[in-house]
Amino acid sequence: MVTDASQGEGRSETGGGDEQPLDSDRTLHLRVEGLRADETMQLRVPARPEPSSAGGRAERRRGTRPPGKKRVGGAAARALGPLAPYARRLKPAYPRPGRTGWRRWVPSWRQWLGGVLTSFGLLGAFLVTAYAVTDIPTDLNTYATQQDNVYFWSDGTPMARTGWVQRQAMPLKDIPPDVRWAVLAAENETFYSDPGISVKGISRALFRTVGEGDTQGGSTITQQYVKNVYLNQNQTVSRKFTEAMISLKLDNKMSKDKILEGYLNTSWFGRGTYGIQRAAQAYYGKDVSELNVSEAAMLAGLLKGAGLFDPTLSKANHQRAVERWSWILDRMVKIHKLSPQERATYTTFPEPLKSNPLYNTGEQSDYLVELASQYAKKAAHLTDQQFDLGGYQIYTTFDRKRENALTDAVTKARKQAKQDNPDAAKNGHYGAASVATDGRILAVYGGPDHRTQGYNESNATTVPAGSAFLPFVYAAGLEHGVHKTRGGPATPVTPDSVYDGDDGVPVTTPEGPYWDRSGKKVAAHNDGNRSYGKITLREALAKSVNTPFMQLGMDTGLAQVRQTAQAAGLLSSSIGPQVPALSLGSSTPSAIRMASGYATFAAGGTHTEPYSVGRITRNGAPVALATPHPARAVGTEVAKDVDQALTDSFRAAHPDVTKPGLSGKAGTADKDTAAWYAGTDDSVSTAVVLYRIDLAKSLEPLPLKGLAGSSPDNVPYRLWSAAMGLD
């Protein structure tokens, strides 16, 4: 209900009182239903013009009404009364009045402006909301965090690598500024001043993705880093939008240096490499810290697409790489990160290496990697999962020169065996290892190819030691003495103690002969069933006479023999049962452990557990490593006596070798199933074993059938001699 409040409450427009004519200006005070009692609406009503003739006013109204417009009437007109004509003016009209044809549907500039401002407002609200609800992911992409593990020779040169990717993260402080700015000049020179995104680049990328299907578009380094470590590589609008939101938030929460460090460590450079450190090694064979500006510019060019800019792939690639390299150097001058004078010195394109030197051989190095990785995980207390995530630099103890000499010698022996005895050679196995007196494993021969023979022959406990085990029995007797009566005091034993060296001498105990389970007396036999009569222990060792040592083992106590062998370096699991045959080498030590045991005698009786890794770092930071320490195995004098007997053994077998300091002895297993040679040159001990096994049928050793050659110049000795550098 609308009433005129200016003439008294409740008075209608046509009621009594001092009414002002409607043909003069007046102000109407209106009371409208729904307003409070003290609220009114004012409306200025202009005076109506005088009609030119009777009825003209109505005619004019009808004549000037736009086509299609209906006058307000009926209940609405009665409700509004004299305001009905003005209600039509207050009501927005669309299509636009006063226009004809298509112009009726074109919004006015005010409507355009209102629509644009509304759109911007809604867009701004949407972006603010999207920024607020977008979180930086806590989990990085697996391929973005996984790195390779790199193995080095003892001289610090790369040996091999493992892992699905080639990546080694480097702290930004270890990446020279020239290298950083070469990348920034190529990819994002405003990196340190931009907000983390490029609106122009995003718009261009979205237009190309949606409109043309071209996925290229300008992205900041922050955006590229986000894509590398948080998102997938799909080129979609939703992925690009999420990338932008995370980039903005990351730029606010992470320092620019940290973002740049992450980018440099996760970017793809081709040749299977991620990160600037591995790229420097793959293309130039050097660490990133050793790159010059010219080399850095070439690597920075690869970020645009290694498949197009690796200069070694094609002539077209080479031309593109040279042009981009030159452009990047010029950009560095433009942004004042390289002086014109220094730029003028770089006129020759820095040609990279033809191939990646980090790839391993797939052959002997695989056996070395296997040993080193097993030791590294154990000594550094790393789980398989931690180790497989990579980033470790494993500095091994392997000596490249010794390794090559040993590998070449075995390869030559294998080739010769195939010519001389092809049937025996096809099942031949060669295990060898060189171990220093301080425990370092210097070289091993694990097999012909790790891809076809997975197990490591240098570390296998497969065949008995035979007479190569005698020094441990000798050391036990000298260290602990012998017992002639059960429970009586020990009687000292010296190198000059005399034992019966005849073949077939029954083994005795304080109570009498030793009987086996079948009721037969146990007797020892010498090689070739030869008898030597009474012989000193020192001479018996030098001549590899078995019978005295089987009896010595019984007199000393098999438990003491076992303990001494284990203290010297042999594994308890390989020593075998405590029966008389233990003294004649029924144990099955590996070549590594046999070499370690002989090294104990050369080290004056102290034993250091063999190890293959001297140092580990992860992305340059040291990793705690449990390093073995020497421990007393036998007394110094005992070790000296054993070493002297081994020296006599070597001289007796090889009188033509005049080099001093050499000691060692051959070893043969029962039924000619294995041939050994173990010995020491100064501070390095090497053990070589040759045996035959048909892996397709059984692990039972087969007779060598002459594969080892004839003593003393047999195959194990020749391999030992080559490994020691005597050839």
Side-chain angles (χ1 to χ4, degrees), residues 267-273 279 283 298-314 317-318 320-321 324:
S267 295
W268 167 255
F269 283 88
R271 293 195 177 185
T273 63
Y283 286 90
M298 198 292 291
L299 294 179
L302 297 171
L303 292 167
K304 193 173 180 63
L308 295 174
F309 291 90
D310 182 344
T312 64
L313 298 180
S314 67
N317 270 28
H318 192 277
R320 281 190 291 265
R324 186 155 179 82

Side-chain angles (χ1 to χ4, degrees), residues 504-507 514 521-525 547 550 584:
V505 175
V507 177
Y514 185 93
K521 291 182 180 180
V522 175
H525 295 277
T547 53
M550 180 174 273
L584 296 189

Side-chain angles (χ1 to χ4, degrees), residues 51-65:
S52 55
S53 61
R57 185 165 52 189
E59 293 296 331
R60 282 195 300 273
R61 282 199 300 270
R62 284 192 299 270
T64 59
R65 185 181 303 127

Side-chain angles (χ1 to χ4, degrees), residues 488-677:
T491 302
V493 171
T494 69
D496 295 323
S497 296
V498 177
Y499 272 75
D500 191 342
D502 286 342
D503 184 67
V505 175
V507 177
T508 62
T509 69
E511 289 80 17
Y514 185 93
W515 303 82
D516 64 16
R517 293 184 178 180
S518 64
K520 294 182 180 180
K521 291 182 180 180
V522 175
H525 295 277
N526 297 321
D527 189 23
N529 300 118
R530 180 180 176 183
S531 293
Y532 293 85
K534 299 299 182 181
I535 189 172
T536 65
L537 290 175
R538 175 175 175 173
E539 186 180 3
L541 183 60
K543 295 180 178 181
S544 196
V545 182
N546 291 336
T547 53
F549 291 100
M550 180 174 273
Q551 186 59 54
L552 178 62
M554 297 300 294
D555 294 343
T556 301
L558 296 178
Q560 298 290 9
V561 172
R562 180 187 184 91
Q563 184 274 328
T564 300
Q566 187 173 341
L570 273 59
L571 294 177
S572 174
S573 59
S574 70
I575 293 178
Q578 292 180 189
V579 295
L582 173 65
S583 298
L584 296 189
S586 62
S587 300
T588 58
S590 67
I592 291 176
R593 287 292 171 170
M594 184 67 85
S596 176
Y598 274 62
T600 298
F601 302 130
T606 59
H607 169 69
T608 304
E609 278 290 287
Y611 64 97
S612 56
V613 177
R615 182 166 64 95
I616 300 177
T617 61
R618 189 166 197 272
N619 301 329
V623 175
L625 192 66
T627 305
H629 298 286
R632 176 62 59 185
V634 295
T636 303
E637 291 300 319
V638 170
K640 187 181 296 184
D641 288 338
V642 175
D643 192 56
Q644 183 60 55
L646 292 173
T647 300
D648 295 343
S649 175
F650 181 86
R651 289 175 179 172
H654 308 282
D656 55 323
V657 181
T658 59
K659 182 181 179 181
L662 298 176
S663 63
K665 77 177 303 296
T668 55
D670 186 35
K671 299 179 182 179
D672 193 35
T673 55
W676 289 81
Y677 197 89

Side-chain angles (χ1 to χ4, degrees), residues 31-356:
R31 183 172 303 279
V32 183
E33 283 187 348
L35 297 181
R36 298 194 307 270
D38 59 343
E39 292 180 325
T40 61
M41 178 183 295
Q42 295 183 3
L43 181 65
R44 184 73 174 177
V45 181
R48 297 177 182 175
E50 288 290 325
S52 55
S53 61
R57 185 165 52 189
E59 293 296 331
R60 282 195 300 273
R61 282 199 300 270
R62 284 192 299 270
T64 59
R65 185 181 303 127
K69 286 291 183 179
K70 297 180 180 180
R71 63 177 295 181
V72 178
R78 287 193 296 274
L80 292 175
L83 297 180
Y86 305 105
R88 291 195 297 271
R89 298 180 187 178
L90 295 175
K91 179 181 179 182
Y94 194 82
R96 296 176 62 194
R99 300 288 191 274
T100 60
W102 61 270
R103 291 180 179 84
R104 299 169 56 211
W105 303 96
V106 177
S108 68
W109 69 269
R110 292 182 180 86
Q111 290 170 321
W112 276 113
L113 179 60
V116 170
L117 293 178
T118 301
S119 298
F120 273 110
L122 293 174
L123 177 62
F126 171 74
L127 293 177
V128 169
T129 303
Y131 178 84
V133 300
T134 299
D135 292 325
I136 300 174
T138 56
D139 296 328
L140 303 183
N141 291 332
T142 301
Y143 68 84
T145 56
Q146 188 175 15
Q147 304 178 60
D148 57 356
N149 293 323
V150 183
Y151 299 78
F152 298 87
W153 294 101
S154 58
D155 62 3
T157 56
M159 181 182 75
R161 70 167 187 86
T162 61
W164 290 104
V165 299
Q166 293 186 58
R167 179 190 288 114
Q168 178 189 345
M170 294 292 289
L172 192 65
K173 63 181 179 61
D174 293 336
I175 302 175
D178 285 342
V179 177
R180 304 179 214 169
W181 279 107
V183 172
L184 292 174
E187 294 293 308
N188 186 188
E189 64 186 54
T190 62
F191 169 73
Y192 280 101
S193 60
D194 66 40
I197 64 170
S198 168
V199 176
K200 180 180 178 181
I202 291 175
S203 301
R204 183 167 64 249
L206 289 174
F207 172 75
R208 289 178 174 176
T209 300
V210 176
E212 301 178 5
D214 184 356
T215 60
Q216 295 182 357
S219 295
T220 66
I221 277 179
T222 305
Q223 289 174 260
Q224 294 181 52
Y225 174 63
V226 167
K227 180 179 66 175
N228 288 344
V229 301
Y230 296 123
L231 305 176
N232 57 45
Q233 304 299 309
N234 297 335
Q235 300 291 346
T236 63
V237 173
S238 61
R239 203 275 293 156
K240 290 180 182 294
F241 180 78
T242 304
E243 172 191 299
M245 291 296 101
I246 296 177
S247 297
L248 284 170
K249 185 159 285 189
L250 193 71
D251 192 78
N252 286 330
K253 292 190 174 182
M254 185 182 292
S255 70
K256 289 286 190 179
D257 281 349
K258 275 297 181 183
I259 295 174
L260 180 60
E261 178 183 291
Y263 173 76
L264 291 174
N265 284 317
T266 57
S267 295
W268 167 255
F269 283 88
R271 293 195 177 185
T273 63
Y274 288 86
I276 191 71
Q277 164 71 353
R278 201 56 85 233
Q281 294 171 338
Y283 286 90
Y284 290 107
K286 59 178 68 174
D287 287 340
V288 65
S289 61
E290 300 172 331
L291 292 175
N292 60 38
V293 178
S294 180
E295 294 164 338
M298 198 292 291
L299 294 179
L302 297 171
L303 292 167
K304 193 173 180 63
L308 295 174
F309 291 90
D310 182 344
T312 64
L313 298 180
S314 67
K315 290 184 178 180
N317 270 28
H318 192 277
Q319 181 179 348
R320 281 190 291 265
V322 172
E323 292 174 354
R324 186 155 179 82
W325 162 78
S326 180
W327 177 82
I328 291 172
L329 291 175
D330 291 341
R331 293 293 297 176
M332 293 183 70
V333 174
K334 183 177 180 180
I335 63 177
H336 308 294
K337 297 302 177 181
L338 185 67
S339 69
Q341 294 77 17
E342 188 176 4
R343 169 66 181 92
T345 64
Y346 297 116
T347 57
T348 303
F349 181 71
E351 299 289 349
L353 300 173
K354 296 298 183 183
S355 61
N356 188 344

